[in-house]
Amino acid sequence: TLSIKCSQSDTYGQQRSFSPNNGPSYPPQSGVGLPPKVFVGHSIYKGKAVLTVEPRAPEFVTLESGAFKIGREGNVFLQFAPAAGTRQYDWDRKQIFSLSATEIGTLISLGPTESCEFFHDPFIGRSDEGKVRKVLKVEPLSDGSGHLFNLSVLNMLINMEESIFVPVTKGEYAVLVSLFNFALPYLLGWNTLADSARPEDTRRLNNANPRSGVDYEWSR
Amino acid sequence: TLSIKCSQSDTYGQQRSFSPNNGPSYPPQSGVGLPPKVFVGHSIYKGKAVLTVEPRAPEFVTLESGAFKIGREGNVFLQFAPAAGTRQYDWDRKQIFSLSATEIGTLISLGPTESCEFFHDPFIGRSDEGKVRKVLKVEPLSDGSGHLFNLSVLNMLINMEESIFVPVTKGEYAVLVSLFNFALPYLLGWNTLADSARPEDTRRLNNANPRSGVDYEWSR
Amino acid sequence: TLSIKCSQSDTYGQQRSFSPNNGPSYPPQSGVGLPPKVFVGHSIYKGKAVLTVEPRAPEFVTLESGAFKIGREGNVFLQFAPAAGTRQYDWDRKQIFSLSATEIGTLISLGPTESCEFFHDPFIGRSDEGKVRKVLKVEPLSDGSGHLFNLSVLNMLINMEESIFVPVTKGEYAVLVSLFNFALPYLLGWNTLADSARPEDTRRLNNANPRSGVDYEWSR
Amino acid sequence: TLSIKCSQSDTYGQQRSFSPNNGPSYPPQSGVGLPPKVFVGHSIYKGKAVLTVEPRAPEFVTLESGAFKIGREGNVFLQFAPAAGTRQYDWDRKQIFSLSATEIGTLISLGPTESCEFFHDPFIGRSDEGKVRKVLKVEPLSDGSGHLFNLSVLNMLINMEESIFVPVTKGEYAVLVSLFNFALPYLLGWNTLADSARPEDTRRLNNANPRSGVDYEWSR
């Protein structure tokens, strides 16, 4: 039941070029005294396309008290690039899709015969709303050997349409699930439990923890 | 079979106000030289209500030897707040429920067609026992798309009754399970294994570990 | 099919005493400059007995090269103590059982209707071999609500026999599975991956890693 | 349906020797100022052979910007050695197999009645391609008690053929799954999320993060 057509706009195709190192480019490093940036994109290379997954850390904002809260939840960044020859991929034609925590949860809990579909409009709530549509479909392969990932992007602003397919075997899918399960607590900031759940913090917890108050489910 | 009625006491309703930032307030930060507090509540926003989950670290107590033990196990704090308009929630009407380790385990292992129900009395063992009753029900949605979380609070002290429903999709539930699974070892202090399972501690283990003694299952 | 009899030797019973704090005693702390010992026993309290689980870190030994290897794998320590009244447990009658990695794996993968049984002889390979027998049985509860943990100890050296039962609900079992899954890599030292899988170690890996050699599956 | 024959080349057999400590040898430690190397091979000892699994950290390479990327993904190293007597193993006859991330994922997701098979040619793409063939088969044991691991190596360069079998119980397999699940994020570098998902890095994230740009799925 996979009926999505794959077409390619002429305009976009002419801009294509092939980077010699056959991979995505990396932005310059910035920030003094911070741990170095590490790029950990994990790629699933197939004959017709490649799928790369990479986590994006959440952003924190400072509260007046000096405490922090999550300003933007982290996500997992998907990059799809079509093949441009044997073991070469056309990164200039790559399409991207950013998985939210809930979408990650959906992929983690997807049964071997289940499908899911996510719709993104990058301009939602803005003047160009509806002009770019992205659809990620994940469906079981007909031979039961895994799932097919398909990202379709329709961009009416530059008259471009692209649909890229990457078959993902059960083993590759299990790697994704393991990575996603590992990443989720970090994407939502729960890894900071490692700082607060320390015996050395006993005094703070005893004296200043807000949950000692009456609000703690009436000190249940 | 969802037959819980949702009613609202007049008295309580008159106290309602809407905070402009439409979110929970944060207590002031305290404690010098400690890692900053980080608020990592993860929210599931729905049309009629929002559910926020947040971990609470355990509390440790110091033993005479200088060692520590868990004084109070950590938990996961649930906040339910009803909607007060489009994308606005009435945090003054919020109801809270604190999940113990075992209740977290129950939610982690809940099958897609299973239900569970937890009863809390915040005044248990005290003079007001029985005057506030909280019930958290988690039941499969009739269309099989996930689970319905329902917190009902009956507070006879202030003549208040509240029942808040939040439908949770499979993907959202999988995120909760991932967070809960991550959090459990921290809530019970097992993360301190990261300190004791170090090769550098070899000497302590060889010389002073109590398990070298005869109590170690007869040195099995 | 639970047919184990629970009997209690007279001799052993006379030694019994009830500690006022109603809990296990803690050995004195030793070792200067080391992280403080943290006791993180997690207890499942039931009407007739209590079960406490606690991880034991592995022991490392130093090689001539200055490197380390695991000298003894960690384990999970089970303590069973019978009730001695309402919310009081008789820790002097406690029986202990030390779960190996494989036994932990068996409990992690135990299906809801499956059973398992482990036999330990603390004097195996020594002159008193066969004189103390410990059997831990884990069987599904007849009402499907969880598993029954039963530790039976027959000690012919002091003419003592004890059998303690603790029913464990599904939620409690899920907590154990979560803790055990978390603990296993630490018990086997794999947490040291956190040290070796660092980008800062690039030089060592490039220059000195033994796996650059011909032994690395012929540099596959 | 296990029909693999186990034969042993004469040439290779004459080189055999038995190390007195009956275990693998460890290479000398190198690298100043780095955390000490820790060997954490986990062994499954059986009557006819032993299987040892050990993780290998990834290798990072430095980019011009000072950032890092994964140069080579980590893997899990399997060593099979046949028995040479009671509780003695012939490490000189050991055969090795290096599991990639996807192969690890396949083993993690293998059902109790499922099989898998991996083929490695350590000389692939080189002049000796095809002269050494390694096959790892993992098949359910006929009595349903676990899986049989079988590594067959055919080395036409030294006229050697070896096939080693290790039966792995369900509990032992669960330990492997737990270790592999733990290791995968480290093998692929995702553990560096622990550095980037820190509230202290707020400024970098606000000012310099590439994802604030237009490429971030059009700032979705």
Side-chain angles (χ1 to χ4, degrees), chain A residues 68 198 208 211 216-218, chain B residues 30 39 57 60 75 98 126 195:
Chain A
F68 293 94
R198 306 288 316 157
R211 89 165 133 164
Y216 181 55
E217 214 179 327
W218 289 270
Chain B
S30 56
F39 295 97
F60 295 89
N75 49 40
S98 176
R126 285 186 276 174
D195 300 319

Side-chain angles (χ1 to χ4, degrees), chain B residues 162-213:
Chain B
E162 183 87 63
S163 186
I164 306 178
F165 293 85
V166 175
V168 172
T169 67
K170 282 181 186 178
E172 289 160 347
Y173 201 91
V175 172
L176 296 183
V177 168
S178 178
L179 292 176
F180 291 176
N181 240 324
F182 174 85
L184 265 177
Y186 291 91
L187 303 183
L188 303 177
W190 283 41
N191 56 305
T192 56
L193 259 177
D195 300 319
S196 57
R198 306 289 315 158
E200 293 79 9
D201 292 1
T202 298
R203 268 161 310 175
R204 180 179 61 148
L205 289 161
N206 289 346
N207 301 334
N209 192 330
R211 90 164 132 162
S212 333

